[in-house]
Amino acid sequence: MQVDTKFGQVSISHNPVLSPASSRGIEIGNSISIALEMPRPIAFDDAISRTLQLLRFFGLVIGRPQNIQKLVLLVRKGDREAALRVHWSHRPVRAVNALEDSSYLLRPGTFLLNPIDRQDEFVRVMQAWLDKDEEHQDARMRFNTSFLCQKKYSVDRLISAANMFDILPPSAVPNDIEITESLKQAKQKCKEIFKSLPKSYERDSIFGALGRIGKASLKHKTRHRAKYLIEIIGEWLPDLVMVLEAAIDCRNHFVHGSPAKIDYNNNFKMVTFFTDTLEFVFGASELVEAGWDIQTFIQKPLFMTHPYDVYSVNYLDRLKAFKTLFSKERQLLAPTAKRYGGGF
C-alpha cells in the first residue's frame, strides 16, 4: 500500500516468513514494514522527525505505543546506494508489561482506520493528518505523551490533557467570542475605574482579567472541538460538554487552586474519566477533521482493545456515576439537558 503525503511517499508492506517444515508443522510469521521515500535528500534530524510524526499517527490509529524494531536509511549518490542501519540509543519502545496484558492483543477490526477494507478513507485521513501535523505539532506531541501513558493515570496527565487544547493553533479553535453590548460597556467602565487607581499587582491583575473577556477560554476551546463529535455521534455521548467542563474545573483546581467541586483524591475514578474524555475528544476531533468516519467506528462491533473502544462502551456507565457523585456530594448538577452536549 502506498500513500503520497507532503513529506513523501509512505509504503506499508507485509513481510511473511515461512519456517522450515518440522514435526510441529509449518509456521508462517509476519512483520510489517513502513518506508518513507522523500522526493529529495533531507538532513538526518529531519528524517528522524518525520519518522516520529508517522509513529504518532499510527500509535493513535492502532491504540497503543509503537515500537521501532529496526530503522534503516537508504543513502544514494549517483548510481550508488547503501543501506545504513541506525542504532537508536533511546528509540521509542513499548513497556514489556504492556505486551503481557491480554487486552493489548491485536484483533481484526481493532484499529480506528482499516487500511485493507477502507483503503480510501485511510489514505485520505493520513494525508490530511500529515498536512496539518506541523501546525498542530505542539498540541499533538502533548497528546501523544499523555495518550502513551495508557492505563497509568495521574493529576499531571489530566493537566497535560487539558492544556493541549490551549496550545492548538488559532485555526483549530475560536479566538474571540461574541459578547453582549451591555457586557462590552461594563468592561469599558471597569477599565476606566481601575485605570484611575495607583499601579499595583492587584490593579494589573484586574486589567488582565478584563482583557480576557471576549477571548476564548479553555472551556470554549474544548466545547468547540467536541462539536466535531457531537454533530455526528451526539446520541452516543450525551452530556459530553458537561463532562468536559467538569474536567476543566478539576484541572483548574490542581493548577490554580480553584475550589474543588468534589473530593478528587478520594474519587480518583472521576479524574481518570475526565482524562479519558479530554484525550478522546482531542484525538477523535483531529481524526474527524481529517476525514475519519467516526459514525462507522461507533456502530461497528467493538473489541475493547483500543482505548477509544473502551471509552465508547463504558461512557454511559461512567456518566451515570459522574452525575450521581456530583449530585450527592455537592448538588451541583442541573437537570440533564434534553439536547446532547448540555452543560451545567
Side-chain angles (χ1 to χ4, degrees):
M1 177 181 179
Q2 296 178 335
V3 182
D4 292 320
T5 73
K6 65 179 295 184
F7 302 132
Q9 187 178 80
V10 178
S11 303
I12 306 171
S13 306
H14 285 283
N15 301 281
V17 177
L18 178 65
S19 65
S22 69
S23 59
R24 296 182 180 181
I26 297 175
E27 180 181 350
I28 299 177
N30 184 51
S31 63
I32 297 176
S33 61
I34 299 173
L36 174 58
E37 184 175 355
M38 270 70 74
R40 62 187 64 85
I42 62 173
F44 178 77
D45 285 347
D46 292 335
I48 294 297
S49 177
R50 295 183 186 185
T51 299
L52 292 174
Q53 286 177 292
L54 288 174
L55 206 67
R56 290 194 294 269
F57 174 75
F58 287 118
L60 173 57
V61 170
I62 295 171
R64 65 179 187 181
Q66 295 300 292
N67 290 317
I68 292 184
Q69 297 177 330
K70 183 168 68 173
L71 183 63
V72 176
L73 295 180
L74 187 63
V75 181
R76 295 190 183 98
K77 185 175 182 180
D79 296 333
R80 301 171 59 190
E81 65 178 31
L84 306 179
R85 177 78 179 270
V86 178
H87 295 273
W88 194 338
S89 300
H90 300 286
R91 71 184 189 278
V93 177
R94 183 167 56 246
V96 174
N97 61 352
L99 290 173
E100 297 171 350
D101 189 334
S102 61
S103 68
Y104 273 72
L105 296 176
L106 297 180
R107 298 179 176 87
T110 60
F111 303 160
L112 300 184
L113 294 166
N114 190 328
I116 298 175
D117 297 332
R118 302 176 66 86
Q119 189 173 121
D120 289 345
E121 180 189 19
F122 181 88
V123 171
R124 181 177 66 251
V125 172
M126 186 182 200
Q127 289 172 332
W129 176 280
L130 292 176
D131 281 346
K132 290 189 175 182
D133 197 68
E134 185 174 350
E135 184 184 14
H136 290 229
Q137 181 173 268
D138 288 344
R140 287 180 178 178
M141 289 180 68
R142 181 69 64 88
F143 167 78
N144 186 68
T145 301
S146 183
F147 187 69
L148 295 188
C149 291
Q150 297 287 280
K151 299 179 181 179
K152 296 179 181 179
Y153 291 88
S154 66
V155 170
D156 289 338
R157 180 176 175 181
L158 167 78
I159 295 171
S160 180
N163 290 351
M164 60 196 177
F165 289 90
D166 248 346
I167 56 177
L168 278 167
S171 61
V173 291
N175 183 32
D176 298 324
I177 59 173
E178 188 173 348
I179 59 177
T180 63
E181 188 61 35
S182 58
L183 184 56
K184 290 179 183 178
Q185 294 175 4
K187 175 181 176 180
Q188 184 59 37
K189 289 179 180 179
C190 287
K191 280 186 174 181
E192 293 171 359
I193 293 172
F194 281 93
K195 188 176 182 179
S196 64
L197 299 177
K199 189 173 182 179
S200 66
Y201 175 79
E202 290 76 16
R203 170 183 174 273
D204 292 344
S205 296
I206 294 297
F207 269 118
L210 290 171
R212 289 191 293 273
I213 296 177
K215 300 294 183 181
S217 67
L218 186 52
K219 287 187 177 181
H220 289 117
K221 293 175 182 178
T222 55
R223 188 183 303 123
H224 176 80
R225 300 303 296 179
K227 285 182 180 179
Y228 284 98
L229 315 182
I230 294 172
E231 291 175 353
I232 303 172
I233 58 168
E235 62 183 316
W236 296 83
L237 302 170
D239 296 318
L240 180 60
V241 168
M242 179 189 294
V243 179
L244 283 170
E245 294 193 349
I248 301 303
D249 288 338
C250 179
R251 173 261 187 192
N252 289 343
H253 168 70
F254 288 112
V255 173
H256 303 299
S258 305
K261 302 294 185 179
I262 61 170
D263 186 339
Y264 297 117
N265 291 318
N266 287 330
N267 297 281
F268 201 75
K269 285 186 177 181
M270 285 299 107
V271 178
T272 65
F273 181 36
F274 295 154
T275 304
D276 288 340
T277 299
L278 290 165
E279 292 179 2
F280 177 83
V281 170
F282 183 93
S285 64
E286 290 282 282
L287 287 173
V288 168
E289 191 176 24
W292 179 41
D293 183 0
I294 194 172
Q295 183 77 50
T296 298
F297 159 76
I298 205 76
Q299 291 178 339
K300 72 178 179 64
L302 301 178
F303 293 88
M304 303 295 282
T305 56
H306 193 290
Y308 286 5
D309 287 3
V310 177
Y311 181 82
S312 302
V313 170
N314 293 332
Y315 178 79
L316 293 180
D317 287 340
R318 298 173 85 180
L319 177 65
K320 181 179 179 181
F322 161 80
K323 290 183 177 181
T324 300
L325 178 62
F326 273 71
S327 180
K328 177 181 178 181
E329 295 202 6
R330 293 291 184 269
Q331 297 183 346
L332 290 177
L333 284 179
T336 303
K338 292 184 179 179
R339 61 181 177 82
Y340 296 114
F344 287 106

